[in-house]
Amino acid sequence: MEKIYIPKHLFNPDKIIDSGQVFRMHYERISADLGWYYAYSGNHAVSFRHIRDDEWNFYTEDWEFWRDYFDLNTAPSTYSEYNEKIRKSNDQFLINALSANSGVRILKQDLWECLVSFIISQQNSIRKIIKTVNGLCERFGTPRVFISDSVGTYHLYYMFPTPEQIANLSLSELQGGTMLGYRAQYILKLSRDIENGKFSLDRLTELSYEEAISELKTIYGVGDKVANCVALYGLHLMESYPIDTWMEKIITQDYKQYKDTQKYMEYINSKYAGFQGYVQQLQFMYKRQIL
DNA sequence: TCCCAGGCTTGGT
DNA sequence: ACCAAGCATGGG
């Protein structure tokens, strides 16, 4: 068991679950004030719960992974500084977005799972993305157990299918009953390219933001939006700023003064340099909340 | 029945 | 360089 101490305004799992950046994390409520959080990423699993005030208990075999996953190696003061800059920004939409969503953090997910998940996310709804990603794990991933509490309970989960496990399927096997639709061919080709060495996931982790985006966009089925999501949630390149349909609505409805996307991005990149991804995350969540 | 969903590829100007 | 059509599939 691992104990950490961090206030809810700097770490709020409920907000993270609602953030749209993750599709295999959920809360299991037991009673009014008792419940467990579960999260899975790649072949890793964790359960954790809020004890009191700032205290949290985590159960996992891979604490190193999960501490990094929840961005807990980043000093708490870092998010405090982001929030302070936002509150002093004169950007009322963003300030409102922050007060509605304090405690959300930018995760560092398993890169392979993140890449496949956001290929699935295109032209799709978050509810269906969650069903599809979890369905892929149950159908093609390897089952495993981990000890999920202090009395040694074994908890079953499915690891995310590896590139090898997917590469060995036919297109119809991968497409059948998975709700992947036309995205199945993207995922199959990528799995096979990784298996035969034509594409390297490891190399991605050594690249700058610009290099990572252009490398990701060489993947069949990955464009600017998915590349930015993977750069942000898989590579933790905080200058990433994914623009999807919600962000387009924000730009035209809530930031009209910037006329076009390019002028708007100049504003974002200059005012929030180094944490654009966090700003985007808050805006994205808030726009969906006020609908 | 029509429209949309954390878009991308393709083929036309 | 820009633009529209087509794309699988489930849900409103």
Side-chain angles (χ1 to χ4, degrees):
Chain A
M1 195 268 286
E2 307 288 342
K3 264 187 201 308
I4 64 162
Y5 296 90
I6 187 168
K8 256 198 175 172
H9 69 271
L10 293 177
F11 175 66
N12 188 333
D14 299 316
K15 292 299 175 186
I16 294 172
I17 288 170
D18 280 341
S19 68
Q21 62 177 311
V22 57
F23 309 107
R24 287 212 293 154
M25 179 172 170
H26 68 278
Y27 179 69
E28 283 183 21
R29 179 195 154 99
I30 293 172
S31 65
D33 56 349
L34 179 60
W36 287 87
Y37 295 95
Y38 295 91
Y40 309 102
S41 190
N43 58 358
H44 310 280
V46 67
S47 65
F48 62 100
R49 62 180 174 141
H50 189 207
I51 303 299
R52 70 179 78 78
D53 303 326
D54 296 358
E55 185 181 342
W56 303 79
N57 289 359
F58 286 74
Y59 297 86
T60 177
E61 297 172 3
D62 310 295
W63 177 234
E64 293 297 312
F65 174 86
W66 290 106
R67 189 169 55 189
D68 202 29
Y69 176 97
F70 288 114
D71 203 11
L72 296 167
N73 290 327
T74 297
S77 60
T78 306
Y79 277 88
S80 298
E81 285 164 19
Y82 297 161
N83 295 342
E84 202 48 40
K85 285 178 185 170
I86 288 169
R87 289 194 195 96
K88 287 194 274 187
S89 70
N90 295 326
D91 184 333
Q92 196 56 49
F93 184 87
L94 181 55
I95 291 168
N96 293 345
L98 173 60
S99 30
N101 296 291
S102 64
V104 70
R105 303 174 73 84
I106 301 300
L107 303 182
K108 186 172 180 184
Q109 305 179 32
D110 175 85
L111 181 58
W112 164 242
E113 174 170 342
C114 184
L115 181 46
V116 174
S117 297
F118 280 96
I119 288 174
I120 292 171
S121 79
Q122 66 185 103
Q123 194 66 16
N124 214 337
S125 67
I126 291 183
R127 280 163 60 117
K128 204 174 92 170
I129 299 165
I130 292 171
K131 285 186 188 173
T132 305
V133 170
N134 284 281
L136 269 188
C137 297
E138 288 169 24
R139 183 177 292 247
F140 302 118
T142 304
R144 183 188 273 188
V145 293
F146 76 109
I147 295 173
S148 65
D149 59 26
S150 55
V151 295
T153 304
Y154 285 98
H155 200 92
L156 174 71
Y157 71 103
Y158 290 87
M159 300 188 281
F160 192 82
T162 63
E164 182 181 6
Q165 284 173 317
I166 294 176
N168 289 329
L169 301 169
S170 69
L171 181 58
S172 55
E173 282 174 325
L174 181 57
Q175 202 165 15
T178 55
M179 300 191 286
L180 286 174
Y182 68 90
R183 308 166 194 86
Q185 56 181 313
Y186 299 152
I187 294 165
L188 186 58
K189 180 178 188 320
L190 177 58
S191 300
R192 291 179 175 169
D193 283 350
I194 289 171
E195 271 310 283
N196 64 27
K198 285 185 193 164
F199 189 87
S200 166
L201 290 172
D202 291 335
R203 209 179 90 76
L204 279 176
T205 64
E206 300 165 1
L207 304 179
S208 68
Y209 169 68
E210 289 80 6
E211 292 167 336
I213 293 295
S214 81
E215 181 72 13
L216 282 163
K217 284 170 75 172
T218 66
I219 298 170
Y220 181 51
V222 174
D224 205 55
K225 190 270 174 183
V226 170
N228 271 275
C229 284
V230 175
L232 187 54
Y233 307 129
L235 297 168
H236 211 262
L237 294 165
M238 293 291 279
E239 60 266 61
S240 310
Y241 195 87
I243 295 181
D244 72 322
T245 53
W246 289 98
M247 295 308 298
E248 280 171 4
K249 281 182 200 167
I250 287 175
I251 293 169
T252 57
Q253 295 172 6
D254 305 288
Y255 293 87
K256 292 177 190 156
Q257 64 270 35
Y258 296 102
K259 292 189 294 185
D260 59 39
T261 303
Q262 183 167 349
K263 288 265 190 280
Y264 173 77
M265 284 311 299
E266 286 171 13
Y267 158 68
I268 294 291
N269 285 326
S270 59
K271 187 120 184 177
Y272 309 108
F275 61 109
Q276 296 97 316
Y278 179 58
V279 169
Q280 189 275 353
Q281 187 63 63
L282 294 169
Q283 293 171 309
F284 171 79
M285 294 175 72
Y286 186 58
K287 189 65 177 173
R288 298 180 71 229
Q289 287 158 353
I290 63 178
L291 180 68

